[in-house]
Amino acid sequence: MTAAPILAVRGEVSREVEPELATFSVTVSARDTDRGTTLARLTERHDALRAALDEYATAIERRETGAVSVYPESRRAGERVKGYTGSISTRVTMTDFVLLGELMLRLADADQTVVYGPWWGLRPDSPVRREARRAAVGEAITRATEYAEALGARVVRLVELADAGLAAGQPQPMAFTMAAPGGMMGAQGGPPQLNLDPQRQTVHAQVEARFEISEPTSVG
């Protein structure tokens, strides 16, 4: 018995969509020759950061404390300590892009604070990802049908469908650093405005499919 002919195709689609999330990191630091003073300042600045984030709670989807470090600084020779440095990093994810620039500037204006970002992205369960996968399957079926028709055949059944991957583009972040508070003022003496343009995300879906087709009539 002759095996049925098999047609292998690839379905691939790309979509450019608006981001759903914006993530940035903010790190507060403290340094002093006394360990206790360093810890006190670090705690104070971290508490101030948390209080500022609380005011934007409705626009923040998630906030997570990352690295916490406190370490002594030694002189070149020997183990004599000349001071202590500490830092705490927090990762913030926002859904309100109107308030994003405002919050980043406000945090960057705090003493010994570095703000880095934003990174634009989509939720893992975003509907656009699901739609892209469905479209890739549809593209594979369309290709298989067209190839089969070109051979004078028809698609009989699906033999195999494999997911070849899904990925989104990565943006380039920007950083803000302030060494002292109260330094950011607009040209007219008012608070500065930071208008950000969300980076569109490229969603790519690809599948590989194998179909059984009827015996071709236009070959040979």
Side-chain angles (χ1 to χ4, degrees), residues 28-110:
V28 295
S29 303
R31 183 182 182 279
D32 196 84
T33 56
D34 178 71
R35 186 201 304 266
T37 301
T38 298
L39 294 175
R41 290 177 180 172
L42 182 62
T43 301
E44 179 182 350
R45 288 166 186 162
H46 182 57
D47 288 344
L49 167 63
R50 289 172 56 85
L53 295 178
D54 286 342
E55 295 181 27
Y56 291 79
T58 57
I60 295 176
E61 178 159 303
R62 186 169 61 252
R63 56 193 249 197
E64 304 161 307
T65 301
V68 178
S69 65
V70 179
Y71 58 90
E73 296 180 352
S74 303
R75 299 186 183 278
R76 291 186 178 181
E79 297 183 353
R80 185 177 179 181
V81 175
K82 64 177 182 179
Y84 297 86
T85 297
S87 65
I88 302 177
S89 295
T90 302
R91 192 174 181 88
V92 181
T93 301
M94 297 185 67
T95 56
D96 189 330
F97 300 160
V98 175
L99 295 177
L100 174 64
E102 175 184 314
L103 176 57
M104 291 180 70
L105 280 185
R106 174 175 173 179
L107 298 179
D109 199 28

Side-chain angles (χ1 to χ4, degrees), residues 40-217:
R41 290 177 180 172
L42 182 62
T43 301
E44 179 182 350
R45 288 166 186 162
H46 182 57
D47 288 344
L49 167 63
R50 289 172 56 85
L53 295 178
D54 286 342
E55 295 181 27
Y56 291 79
T58 57
I60 295 176
E61 178 159 303
R62 186 169 61 252
R63 56 193 249 197
E64 304 161 307
T65 301
V68 178
S69 65
V70 179
Y71 58 90
E73 296 180 352
S74 303
R75 299 186 183 278
R76 291 186 178 181
E79 297 183 353
R80 185 177 179 181
V81 175
K82 64 177 182 179
Y84 297 86
T85 297
S87 65
I88 302 177
S89 295
T90 302
R91 192 174 181 88
V92 181
T93 301
M94 297 185 67
T95 56
D96 189 330
F97 300 160
V98 175
L99 295 177
L100 174 64
E102 175 184 314
L103 176 57
M104 291 180 70
L105 280 185
R106 174 175 173 179
L107 298 179
D109 199 28
D111 189 20
Q112 294 298 317
T113 300
V114 175
V115 177
Y116 191 67
W119 297 271
W120 307 98
L122 300 171
R123 291 185 174 85
D125 60 348
S126 173
V128 299
R129 298 183 187 276
R130 182 167 58 252
E131 293 167 5
R133 290 191 289 266
R134 288 179 177 271
V137 173
E139 174 66 14
I141 294 173
T142 298
R143 286 191 179 188
T145 301
E146 292 176 350
Y147 286 145
E149 290 176 350
L151 296 171
R154 59 183 177 81
V155 174
V156 176
R157 67 183 181 91
L158 174 68
V159 176
E160 183 180 67
L161 181 68
D163 186 0
L166 185 77
Q170 297 296 321
Q172 294 296 322
M174 52 186 167
F176 301 90
T177 305
M178 292 299 293
M184 300 186 69
M185 296 296 289
Q188 303 302 321
Q193 299 294 322
L194 178 62
N195 298 316
L196 302 177
D197 296 318
Q199 184 179 37
R200 290 177 64 83
Q201 302 295 289
T202 300
V203 179
H204 181 72
Q206 186 180 90
V207 296
E208 296 176 353
R210 298 172 68 241
F211 295 90
E212 178 185 325
I213 63 173
S214 60
E215 195 67 32
T217 60

